[in-house]
Amino acid sequence: MTKIGVITFPGSLDDGDVQRAVRVAGAEPVPLWHAATTIGEVDAVVVPGGFSYGDYLRCGAIARFAPIMADVVHHAGDGLPVLGICNGFQILCETHLLPGVLTRNESLHYVCRDQALTVERTDTAWTNEYETGDRIVIPVKHGEGRYVADDATLDWLEGEGLVVVRYADGNPNGSFRDIAGISNEAGNVVGLMPHPEHAVEDLTGTPGTDGLRFFTSALQSLVG
Amino acid sequence: MTLDTVAAAQASPDTAQPFAELGLKADEYQRIREILGRRPTSSELAMYSVMWSEHCSYKSSKVHLRQFGEKAPPSDALLVGIGENAGVVDIGEGWAVTFKVESHNHPSYVEPYQGAATGVGGIVRDIISMGARPLAVMDPLRFGAPDHPDTKRVLPGVVAGIGGYGNCLGLPNIGGEVVFDDCYQGNPLVNALCVGAMKHEDIHLASAKGVGNKVILYGARTGGDGIGGVSVLASETFDETGPAKRPSVQVGDPFMEKLLIECTLEVLGAGLVEGIQDLGGAGISCATSELASNGDGGMHVWLDRVPLRDATLSPEEILMSESQERMCAVVTPAHVDDFLRICRKWDVEAVVIGEVTDTGSLTIDWHGEQIVAVPPRTVAHEGPVYERPSARPAGLDDLQANDASRLPRPATPDDLARTVRDVVAAPNVADKAWITDQYDRYVRGNTVLAQPEDSGMIRVDERTGRGVAIATDCNSRFARLDPYAGAQLAFAEAYRNVATTGAVPLAVTNCLNFGSPEDPEVMWQFAEAVRGLADACQQAGTPVTGGNVSFYNSTGDVAIHPTPVVGVLGVIEDVAARTPQAWHTDGEAIYLLGDTHDELSGSEWAHVIHGHLGGRPPRVDLHRERVLAEVLVAGSRDGMLSAAHDVSDGGVAVALVEMALRADVGARLWVPDGLDPFVFLFSESAGRAVVVVPRSEEQRFTAMCAARALPAQRIGVVDSGLGDDAGRPSQQVLVLALPGGEQITWPLADLREAHGRTLPGLFG
């Protein structure tokens, strides 16, 4: 069975939810501890949401120095599928696996709401089960999710088609160009602020299962 | 300053001591001297002063609170009753659930962000100290006038504090209340509820048993924050002349609390803990004296071992500090190393500060000198008890005589239409998303229902779908008009809200917010409210498992309305059967269950339209509430209901508008025969709910209601296609047919605008 590692930092909150989503998708979740120096035998890694190390310095700024992150960065260079959600996206930006930075929401308030997104890039390890242009609804819940980069970087991201998901029907945090999630050029590393793991069963989280295909995509890319 | 040791106290009996500044009365101080047979040391005086404060000792409320135990109905569900950190309820399949609500009113007024944040932190530690994993939090909040400048200071701070702490802790916030009333201007109420779950065998209690066992203090370091929080802040009335009390508010660190949760659950799961207690109000004084007096009766503590944030703290300050995110555990010597290892894994500082003894005495040393030697029960459990004088408020007869029947009522269809819009837009009724969208309601992935649903619902067992539902309620205007009935109505509403979502009500917690107990009229309100709630719980068959009293919610000599917030917990066998608030499907029938009387006194309509408070609250019929709950639960379980909403603030009008707005689907409605349209729309008669029944289930459902003598009136049909009839193509509308043949049409877009813009307009 495909094994997907889920990192737990002190202060990680959605690690259990990602493990559940991985199970629902039909893979085996493998808990990874931040202090470990290797990711071990896993086929993909998810860096989940939360407030790693309290996010006291700057979101993700301490977590990037966690022992396990060096191994994640190393394997990401070899094509390991890596997904960063919310705080995980912030951490991937801090490690420079992805460009840009997430800053305080424009409203200055934390926001938790069901959010419509447009899927734009579907040849990544985490979105290949979506169709380009799909509209999905999954929740956002963050205080610092405003994607910021300089114009050259934004132009490059859009020019290369590296914007994976964009906010539709209203931008919840003031992200530049409504960017909700991006990938690296190879498409194995994806980071996004919204939480697909909270939209994988009808009963809980955002109604519907629009988020599930992030996880089944990883299976697909590993099998395929 | 020289150290005041037990020896020094014996040698200097006549030293004057600042007992009054610490909040103790002269006779209370005298009693301490009698207990000890000498004057207390300054450390002992500090301990007694915080533990004998109103907040910790319940000295004014104890004689009344006994009724919750005495009148408790027989219940198989109660595993741990009143007196522990939180009550524990059996929900079946080996699962136990614990829940409790506490006040953090005074700190939240002084420093809204930290006051509210640490309120969340404190109640969560109560739940983990029972051995439970916290599942969710809720926050019943009450503020002064929405447009008052100070409300603009307090409310955003409180909301940011609850969100800042709870979101970082990783607990979903699934509901609560937000109420505005002038009476809370100088005394906002910030109550915090937490619910947790565990297997029966994992229940832990706060006791220090086993001579030689070690007492471990773990978590955050002890600092100078919150010294005297319970005695200075929570047990005294605010006045304008007093000094600023900000230093008495604690400062929270949610990241440390998250580590503390995970660390505590791991040491409990590994079987390393004999007894456990959280450190909240009264800090180390409370934890050591309670653990000792619940156990073998003796404990010795080396106070100088306590890790400090500020090395200059005196032993008295260390004993009184309310620094947050600390816990105390009793561990056998053989398990100490494993305990400390798990703490290190989570980067949690842990130190052995004492051990259990059989001396019957709590002794505390400071660098080798004894500074405390007290019988622990006299600190923790045998504080003063007062039977305070009470008197029916002088103006109550006049207040009750001035009822709402003399208020002008809307007469024309246009007046009615406008009144519905005005009530829907009123701050107490308006959409609370501006607040609740600042809370994470999804984390942990088990949230089935959250605000604005009638109750918050959490899945406890992923395999079977077993879950719990919780609602908190209190209409304090009703309690002001009649505290006995008001407390019962608060209970009835929470009970009904739980049943509305399909859960069987099982147990009750409460947070009793009142003015000064030294005011006989407040004491009368308190006594009446407790009597009303205890009687209601007895009749409904749901025991009180715990609660909290917050007195001194007064500014000058003006008290808040009596505000007995009641939380009801229910169980649902499979959360997939839950009944949501929204209607969706065209053709499904809308029924009003229960009896509607002309009951407008204390109503939202009287409050919003006329600024009026007078008369008597709606009548209470707990038998009817039980029958209604049975029907709602059976309807949910057997698939007879597709939506339901309780009728309370703002009456049927508000219930129908909220159900329509939830999924943006319109309906065709009519006024039942014999009912005045205004009374139909705005009466707040208790014991009612609006339900939606699929066509195929109507016969079965109405037969069930008839068999139980529960009135069920068909008042409408879900219809998403009315916009065109009303000349408003592609719009969702509510259409109400009036008895005279006229009709009122409300576009949902207009109602949404009215409902949704109020809070952002005030605070955005």
Side-chain angles (χ1 to χ4, degrees):
Chain A
M1 190 183 255
T2 305
K3 292 182 175 177
I4 299 183
V6 182
I7 300 176
T8 297
F9 300 95
S12 290
L13 303 179
D14 300 301
D15 43 346
D17 303 90
V18 171
Q19 290 173 22
R20 181 191 295 109
V22 166
R23 267 196 305 277
V24 172
E28 178 188 346
V30 178
L32 301 176
W33 186 241
H34 69 111
T37 50
T38 161
I39 58 171
E41 298 295 313
V42 298
D43 304 302
V45 167
V46 181
V47 190
F51 290 73
S52 55
Y53 306 94
D55 275 350
Y56 282 139
L57 178 59
R58 187 176 68 239
C59 298
I62 302 176
R64 69 163 288 200
F65 293 109
I68 200 164
M69 285 310 297
D71 204 39
V72 170
V73 172
H74 171 75
H75 283 96
D78 296 339
L80 177 82
V82 177
L83 177 66
I85 303 169
C86 196
N87 194 222
F89 183 20
Q90 295 163 344
I91 294 167
L92 295 185
C93 289
E94 288 286 335
T95 61
H96 302 301
L97 280 175
L98 295 172
V101 65
L102 285 310
T103 65
R104 189 98 188 264
N105 293 350
E106 201 174 28
S107 68
L108 304 183
H109 294 301
Y110 184 99
V111 60
C112 173
R113 74 181 200 204
D114 299 337
Q115 176 67 46
L117 304 174
T118 309
V119 183
E120 296 196 356
R121 183 176 182 192
T122 55
D123 62 347
T124 78
W126 300 95
T127 54
N128 56 63
E129 296 243 300
Y130 293 97
E131 301 291 330
T132 304
D134 272 356
R135 276 172 59 90
I136 61 174
V137 178
I138 64 178
V140 290
K141 49 189 198 83
H142 57 245
E144 305 189 36
R146 184 188 198 199
Y147 185 75
V148 171
D150 57 31
D151 281 339
T153 305
L154 294 167
D155 290 343
W156 175 74
L157 283 170
E158 292 190 329
E160 298 296 317
L162 304 183
V163 175
V164 177
V165 277
R166 228 185 272 263
Y167 297 116
D169 294 344
N171 179 334
N173 51 31
S175 279
F176 286 11
R177 304 195 191 176
D178 299 332
I179 288 173
I182 56 175
S183 66
N184 64 356
E185 289 175 276
N188 63 312
V189 179
V190 170
L192 77 167
M193 285 312 295
H195 289 261
E197 79 279 17
H198 289 298
V200 298
E201 48 179 0
D202 283 321
L203 203 54
T204 61
T206 295
T209 58
D210 282 357
L212 186 58
R213 279 173 284 171
F214 275 86
F215 304 96
T216 54
S217 292
L219 263 70
Q220 189 61 36
S221 69
L222 290 164
V223 173
Chain B
M1 206 176 112
T2 57
L3 188 66
D4 192 21
T5 62
V6 171
Q10 271 157 346
S12 60
D14 299 327
T15 300
Q17 295 191 282
F19 62 86
E21 288 83 341
L22 290 168
L24 287 165
K25 309 281 191 243
D27 56 334
E28 292 172 342
Y29 175 67
Q30 200 50 44
R31 231 191 102 203
I32 296 168
R33 293 188 67 121
E34 283 162 21
I35 289 168
L36 299 176
R38 57 173 166 80
R39 75 161 173 88
T41 66
S42 53
S43 295
E44 289 166 340
L45 186 66
M47 290 181 77
Y48 278 106
S49 74
V50 288
M51 290 301 290
W52 285 14
S53 68
E54 185 65 59
H55 184 86
C56 290
S57 73
Y58 292 83
K59 57 190 169 191
S60 302
S61 54
K62 240 179 198 168
V63 295
H64 301 283
L65 299 177
R66 284 190 191 122
Q67 292 171 73
F68 292 139
E70 291 161 3
K71 293 179 181 172
S75 165
D76 299 336
L78 202 57
L79 297 172
V80 175
I82 300 174
E84 285 295 337
N85 287 310
V88 181
V89 183
D90 178 13
I91 63 157
E93 292 175 358
W95 285 102
V97 163
T98 179
F99 76 129
K100 192 179 178 187
V101 56
E102 265 191 355
S103 63
H104 235 222
N105 303 338
H106 296 82
S108 301
Y109 179 64
V110 176
E111 212 293 73
Y113 186 98
Q114 291 297 345
T118 54
V120 176
I123 194 69
V124 168
R125 285 193 302 281
D126 268 340
I127 296 305
I128 51 178
S129 64
M130 297 304 296
R133 173 173 278 285
L135 299 178
V137 293
M138 297 174 92
D139 294 277
L141 307 176
R142 286 170 172 76
F143 302 100
D147 52 358
H148 190 289
D150 201 48
T151 306
K152 289 185 173 22
R153 170 186 74 96
V154 175
L155 183 144
V158 164
V159 171
I162 290 169
Y165 202 97
N167 294 341
C168 186
L169 206 52
L171 291 177
N173 192 312
I174 57 170
E177 304 164 80
V178 181
V179 177
F180 300 93
D181 193 293
D182 292 355
C183 76
Y184 302 113
Q185 197 63 60
N187 292 91
L189 302 185
V190 176
N191 296 171
L193 179 149
C194 184
V195 57
M198 72 207 110
K199 290 299 213 175
H200 285 189
E201 58 272 23
D202 295 333
I203 297 172
H204 278 76
L205 303 179
S207 69
K209 293 204 170 81
V211 173
N213 283 346
K214 303 300 180 189
V215 179
I216 298 178
L217 179 68
Y218 66 108
R221 293 187 155 227
T222 299
D225 54 325
I227 289 175
V230 292
S231 53
V232 179
L233 278 184
S235 304
E236 222 182 285
T237 300
F238 288 133
D239 59 49
E240 287 176 11
T241 55
K245 289 170 178 167
R246 191 162 295 108
S248 294
V249 180
Q250 314 87 332
V251 178
D253 175 357
F255 173 58
M256 175 54 80
E257 180 105 338
K258 168 68 177 169
L259 300 184
L260 206 55
I261 294 174
E262 299 304 331
C263 178
T264 300
L265 291 173
E266 191 165 335
V267 293
L268 289 171
L272 302 178
V273 175
E274 304 302 308
I276 190 161
Q277 168 78 299
D278 63 300
L279 273 71
I284 294 176
S285 296
C286 180
T288 55
S289 62
E290 286 195 352
L291 280 167
S293 85
N294 291 340
D296 292 344
M299 184 183 288
H300 183 73
V301 174
W302 298 278
L303 196 64
D304 45 277
R305 293 188 185 178
V306 172
L308 298 179
R309 223 179 277 163
D310 171 0
T312 67
L313 289 181
S314 69
E316 295 86 351
E317 290 171 318
I318 297 168
L319 285 167
M320 294 173 81
S321 165
E322 294 182 7
S323 288
Q324 298 291 293
E325 294 93 23
R326 297 179 299 163
M327 300 277 291
C328 208
V330 178
V331 178
T332 64
H335 287 148
V336 167
D337 285 347
D338 286 339
F339 188 102
L340 297 178
R341 184 179 47 75
I342 291 172
C343 289
R344 273 196 302 277
K345 171 185 164 187
W346 289 102
D347 292 325
V348 169
E349 196 165 8
V351 173
V352 175
I353 62 159
E355 65 182 33
V356 179
T357 67
D358 57 3
T359 61
S361 181
L362 171 61
T363 54
I364 300 179
D365 284 1
W366 179 254
H367 294 292
E369 295 199 79
Q370 190 174 67
I371 55 169
V372 171
V374 296
R377 280 200 69 79
T378 66
V379 180
H381 295 298
E382 291 165 3
V385 175
Y386 294 132
E387 188 120 23
R388 301 246 189 220
S390 79
R392 194 169 189 275
L396 192 55
D397 286 339
D398 289 346
L399 189 68
Q400 290 180 341
N402 175 26
D403 67 33
S405 64
R406 63 200 67 186
L407 302 174
R409 298 178 171 192
T412 66
D414 279 354
D415 286 349
L416 277 172
R418 195 171 332 106
T419 307
V420 166
R421 265 198 302 274
D422 289 348
V423 170
V424 162
N428 286 343
V429 176
D431 188 354
K432 302 300 188 300
W434 186 85
I435 289 170
T436 54
D437 280 359
Q438 296 185 49
Y439 306 150
D440 183 348
R441 60 184 174 274
Y442 290 133
V443 65
R444 300 197 57 73
N446 286 310
T447 304
V448 177
L449 297 174
Q451 203 278 343
E453 298 287 332
D454 287 60
S455 66
M457 187 179 287
I458 290 285
R459 179 174 61 188
V460 174
D461 190 321
E462 277 191 53
R463 198 174 43 84
T464 64
R466 183 163 294 253
V468 292
I470 303 179
T472 71
D473 285 292
C474 178
N475 183 329
S476 66
R477 293 192 305 267
F478 293 162
R480 174 74 181 89
L481 298 176
D482 180 344
Y484 181 89
Q488 296 205 326
L489 286 162
F491 165 79
E493 188 180 343
Y495 178 93
R496 197 185 315 132
N497 273 322
V498 164
T500 299
T501 55
V504 180
L506 268 192
V508 176
T509 187
N510 58 70
C511 193
L512 307 173
N513 306 276
F514 286 77
S516 165
E518 296 164 44
D519 175 345
E521 296 192 346
V522 169
M523 212 52 224
W524 181 84
Q525 293 174 326
F526 180 77
E528 283 294 286
V530 171
R531 191 170 67 85
L533 180 56
D535 287 350
C537 292
Q538 187 175 33
Q539 289 172 46
T542 47
V544 173
T545 64
N548 174 245
V549 177
S550 172
F551 277 131
Y552 296 100
N553 294 291
S554 319
T555 304
D557 57 359
V558 180
I560 59 165
H561 290 341
T563 312
V565 172
V566 180
V568 171
L569 177 134
V571 63
I572 181 165
E573 282 177 22
D574 185 353
V575 292
R578 87 270 181 252
T579 310
Q581 203 175 82
W583 62 50
H584 288 96
T585 310
D586 280 358
E588 294 192 343
I590 303 167
Y591 281 85
L592 173 61
L593 307 182
D595 285 304
T596 302
H597 306 286
D598 189 332
E599 294 180 302
L600 276 305
S601 292
S603 68
E604 197 60 37
W605 168 77
H607 177 68
V608 172
I609 304 298
H610 296 287
H612 178 268
L613 177 60
R616 285 180 174 280
R619 73 197 73 167
V620 187
D621 179 348
L622 290 159
H623 173 70
R624 169 57 63 78
E625 297 285 355
R626 269 184 102 144
V627 170
L628 176 66
E630 284 165 14
V631 164
L632 290 166
V633 170
S636 150
R637 189 190 54 222
D638 298 340
M640 288 184 266
L641 299 179
S642 60
H645 192 7
D646 103 299
V647 178
S648 51
D649 303 346
V652 166
V654 168
L656 290 169
V657 169
E658 288 177 343
M659 294 176 86
L661 289 181
R662 193 82 172 106
D664 196 31
V665 176
R668 194 153 33 87
L669 306 161
W670 51 85
V671 180
D673 286 346
L675 213 49
D676 171 73
F678 167 76
V679 172
F680 167 68
L681 287 171
F682 294 107
S683 165
E684 296 188 11
S685 294
R688 296 184 302 159
V690 173
V691 296
V692 179
V693 186
R695 280 254 158 97
S696 59
E697 301 297 329
E698 270 192 86
Q699 212 169 7
R700 191 157 69 117
F701 180 75
T702 51
M704 175 171 72
C705 292
R708 297 178 194 226
L710 178 68
Q713 288 171 301
R714 207 166 189 272
I715 59 166
V717 176
V718 178
D719 193 337
S720 65
L722 292 170
D724 295 329
D725 298 348
R728 295 179 172 84
S730 71
Q731 272 207 49
Q732 293 301 311
V733 295
L734 282 179
V735 177
L736 175 67
L738 299 172
E742 294 173 287
Q743 66 176 37
I744 303 174
T745 300
W746 291 277
L748 289 192
D750 291 359
L751 293 172
R752 184 179 305 285
E753 161 79 8
H755 194 51
R757 73 169 172 221
T758 304
L759 259 55
L762 285 162
F763 303 104

